Amino acid sequence: MTAQIHYADVEVGTELPARTFPVTRATLVQYAGASGDFNPIHWNERFAKEVGLPDVIAHGMFTMAEAIRVVTDWVGDPGAVVEYGVRFTRPVVVPNDDEGATIEVSGKVAAKLDDDTVRVDLTVTSDGQKVLGMSRAVVRLA
């Protein structure tokens, strides 16, 4: 695959389609199985509270992976992402109910770089609070 977005067609400030990702306790169990990360803060409410968390929290790498989907969906090729980094600022708290939590992600092109690449800055929130800071991806466009 190659990127479906062309470098010449993108300007600084171009907004990517925003997305909202639901997260339930079942999602966390599935991710734990796929990743091998069975830390009890991601599934055991009592343990999470004993270590000072408000409740069970989503895996940081899960949150990070959901956020980059905005970029990969926009560009049309996950392989076009050449660099990606975040700072974990707040956990995504996932209550034990039928709704769980949501991760809201928006992004925009912050810079046009060399070699047909752009830097995309992401805003990632849950429950009105920023959960990832300095969330940036460098993407090679067609």
Side-chain angles (χ1 to χ4, degrees):
M1 295 181 79
T2 59
Q4 305 299 307
I5 305 293
H6 294 273
Y7 183 81
D9 297 334
V10 174
E11 300 296 329
V12 170
T14 298
E15 293 188 18
L16 284 61
R19 300 254 331 251
T20 299
F21 302 98
V23 186
T24 64
R25 295 278 178 99
T27 308
L28 300 182
V29 171
Q30 292 167 337
Y31 185 79
S35 69
D37 181 352
F38 295 101
N39 188 320
I41 63 173
H42 303 304
W43 57 270
N44 184 315
E45 186 173 326
R46 181 182 49 78
F47 182 85
K49 288 180 177 181
E50 283 176 1
V51 297
L53 295 168
D55 206 334
V56 165
I57 63 170
H59 302 73
M61 296 303 281
F62 172 81
T63 305
M64 192 177 173
E66 292 292 79
I68 196 66
R69 288 176 59 191
V70 166
V71 175
T72 59
D73 289 352
W74 171 70
V75 77
D77 176 14
V81 176
V82 295
E83 192 175 309
Y84 178 45
V86 306
R87 287 196 180 148
F88 298 103
T89 57
R90 284 195 184 335
V92 175
V93 177
V94 183
N96 190 19
D97 59 20
D98 293 332
E99 295 179 28
T102 57
I103 300 169
E104 298 90 19
V105 184
S106 62
K108 69 178 176 179
V109 175
K112 290 184 86 168
L113 309 170
D114 297 331
D115 298 327
D116 294 331
T117 60
V118 297
R119 189 185 87 217
V120 175
D121 290 355
L122 298 170
T123 300
V124 185
T125 62
S126 182
D127 198 26
Q129 305 250 340
K130 187 180 265 195
V131 295
L132 296 179
M134 301 292 291
S135 184
R136 297 178 172 170
V138 175
V139 184
R140 179 161 286 110
L141 302 180

